[in-house]
């Protein structure tokens, strides 16, 4: 499903939801609100500093009990030949791009969940399996998940992945901001291992100051943009680069939070105790309209 279709899907969700539940859409939208902890944490990724050693990939797997192999095997640079996305067995990946101002020193971009301030995955999840914590982390609770995968459709960064190959209790997987480690006062595993401090963990507001200062001090080194500062209402993970972010495969997104309608639906369903039969009708309706729309668009 492409970007546009994903947006259409959420729009459809709004219309069908309001119709089936009998709650006026305006009232549903009024339910939408998010509270953020001022001291929430974040990470600043400086792509001009990252050397592409992929130690962060190894550390992330090790910290999450995913088979990681030898650290030395991550020196293999052939992985950069194709673009990779976070997957069930790798919550973070590093991709390589040409550095136009210095071809000898390519740009390396670490990718993982952005831990949005207004996460679309949280809003889309009708059973509340996703949540945004005070620390800034967006986490998933397997005991609540019903496997509907709306979170995957809703995420503007296409991050959550699903264990299709598992018949029993498949998980949704993504970076959890190392919530268990940070609760215990440790750094996220990827931040701790980075040999060149390309990734900095700290209070989000302090990281914004740091990023602004770097841009001001080294205008030749960076473009004047902190990706994640305002995108989709702000994200906990933010980036600096010396190339336009869309050239580094970052999606061009507006400043408004992505959740909007899906958040209203979730809140509407539970706030008004819509009976299960209506909920099933709602889900069936969403799938039917979405499928119809997709086949029409494919037939164009
Ligand atoms: S990047 Fe996607 S999965 Fe991560 S918090 Fe944002 S919406 Fe959720
Ligand atoms: S914060 Fe933790 S879970 Fe997220 S990419 Fe880094 S090591 Fe992996
Ligand atoms: S460990 Fe640091 S330098 Fe190495 S790839 Fe990851 S972010 Fe880049």
């Amino acid at each position: 499903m492409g970007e546009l279709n994903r947006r259409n899907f959420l729009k459809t969700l709004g219309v069908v939801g309001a119709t089936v539940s009998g709650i006026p859409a305006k009232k549903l939208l009024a339910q939408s609100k998010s509270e953020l902890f001022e001291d929430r944490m974040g990470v600043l990724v400086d792509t001009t500093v990252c050397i592409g050693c992929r130690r962060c990939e190894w550390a992330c797997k090790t910290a999450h009990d995913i088979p990681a192999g030898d650290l030395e095997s991550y020196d293999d640079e052939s992985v950069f030949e194709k673009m990779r996305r976070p997957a069930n067995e790798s919550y973070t990946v590093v991709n390589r791009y040409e550095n136009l101002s210095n071809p000898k020193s390519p740009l390396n971009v670490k990718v993982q969940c952005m831990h949005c301030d207004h996460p679309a995955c949280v809003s889309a999840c009708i059973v509340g399996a996703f949540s945004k914590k005070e620390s800034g982390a967006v986490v998933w609770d397997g005991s609540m998940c019903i496997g509907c995968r709306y979170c995957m459709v809703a995420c503007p960064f296409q991050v959550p992945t699903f264990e299709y190959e598992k018949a029993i209790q498949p998980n949704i997987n993504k970076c959890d901001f190392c919530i268990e480690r940070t609760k215990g006062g440790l750094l996220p595993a990827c931040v701790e291992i980075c040999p060149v401090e390309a990734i900095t963990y700290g209070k989000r507001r302090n990281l914004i100051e740091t990023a602004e200062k770097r841009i001001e001090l080294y205008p030749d080194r960076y473009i004047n943009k902190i990706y994640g500062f305002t995108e989709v209402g702000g994200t906990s993970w933010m980036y600096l680069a010396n190339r336009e972010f869309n050239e580094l495969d970052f999606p061009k997104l507006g400043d408004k939070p992505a959740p909007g309608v899906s958040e209203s639906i979730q809140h509407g369903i539970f706030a008004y105790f819509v009976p299960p039969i209506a909920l099933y009708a709602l889900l069936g309706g969403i799938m039917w309209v979405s499928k119809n729309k997709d086949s029409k668009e494919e037939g164009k």
Side-chain angles (χ1 to χ4, degrees):
M1 199 181 273
E3 276 297 311
L4 197 61
N5 284 350
R6 283 145 49 84
R7 233 172 281 137
N8 284 343
F9 176 88
L10 291 174
K11 244 175 154 175
T12 305
L13 193 74
V15 175
V16 179
T19 311
V20 174
S21 63
I23 305 161
K26 262 192 188 159
K27 199 158 193 180
L28 284 173
L29 286 168
Q31 302 290 316
S32 171
K33 71 169 194 283
S34 303
E35 279 160 26
L36 288 166
F37 189 60
E38 204 195 331
D39 274 349
R40 65 193 178 281
M41 305 302 281
V43 170
L44 180 65
V45 184
D46 192 333
T47 61
T48 71
V49 173
C50 176
I51 53 173
C53 66
R54 299 174 52 227
R55 271 157 177 65
C56 48
E57 291 185 24
W58 179 87
C60 179
K61 288 185 186 187
T62 307
H64 292 85
D65 297 326
I66 299 169
D70 295 337
L71 186 53
E72 292 70 45
S73 65
Y74 288 70
D75 293 339
D76 174 13
E77 298 202 345
S78 65
V79 291
F80 294 130
E81 283 163 17
K82 60 174 192 222
M83 265 277 298
R84 294 178 302 148
R85 295 289 310 160
N88 288 325
E89 303 302 320
S90 43
Y91 303 163
T92 185
V93 293
V94 181
N95 288 312
R96 178 160 286 180
Y97 298 83
E98 203 185 339
N99 185 346
L100 301 178
S101 52
N102 182 4
K104 280 191 189 145
S105 172
L107 279 180
N108 301 291
V109 179
K110 179 186 180 301
V111 185
Q112 70 298 300
C113 170
M114 298 288 282
H115 297 276
C116 306
D117 276 347
H118 307 278
C121 56
V122 172
S123 305
C125 182
I126 58 173
V127 292
F130 268 89
S131 56
K132 172 89 176 167
K133 302 295 179 198
E134 271 193 2
S135 66
V138 174
V139 296
W140 173 81
D141 179 349
S143 67
M144 299 174 85
C145 179
I146 54 169
C148 67
R149 285 167 278 144
Y150 290 162
C151 50
M152 294 172 70
V153 180
C155 173
F157 299 100
Q158 302 188 320
V159 165
T161 56
F162 183 72
E163 292 175 332
Y164 289 100
E165 67 287 356
K166 243 194 191 176
I168 299 167
Q169 285 194 325
N171 285 331
I172 293 280
N173 288 312
K174 69 168 201 72
C175 155
D176 62 359
F177 216 159
C178 281
I179 191 158
E180 292 307 323
R181 286 175 60 92
T182 54
K183 260 188 213 161
L186 295 173
L187 285 170
C190 55
V191 175
E192 186 180 75
I193 202 169
C194 182
V196 289
E197 293 180 27
I199 38 184
T200 312
Y201 179 72
K203 285 185 185 158
R204 185 180 185 271
R205 55 189 159 88
N206 294 346
L207 294 175
I208 293 166
E209 280 171 25
T210 305
E212 284 171 344
K213 199 153 272 169
R214 282 191 204 176
I215 292 172
E216 192 190 321
L217 285 174
Y218 308 105
D220 295 338
R221 187 177 181 124
Y222 304 104
I223 60 161
N224 187 11
K225 163 98 185 153
I226 308 166
Y227 190 93
F229 179 27
T230 57
E231 274 72 19
V232 287
T235 57
S236 289
W237 282 65
M238 294 171 291
Y239 288 77
L240 288 175
N242 71 356
R243 275 181 76 174
E244 293 298 333
F245 282 96
N246 60 323
E247 294 170 8
L248 302 174
D249 292 313
F250 284 85
K252 243 189 175 162
L253 301 165
D255 295 347
K256 289 209 176 84
V261 175
S262 53
E263 185 176 59
S264 308
I265 294 302
Q266 182 207 338
H267 290 183
I269 286 168
F270 293 105
Y272 289 84
F273 291 107
V274 174
I277 188 71
L279 178 56
Y280 290 129
L282 162 67
L283 299 181
I286 291 163
M287 288 308 184
W288 183 82
V289 178
S290 171
K291 206 171 154 217
N292 248 11
K293 202 168 182 71
D294 282 353
S295 33
K296 267 188 204 153
E297 281 175 9
E298 270 158 29
K300 265 183 195 171

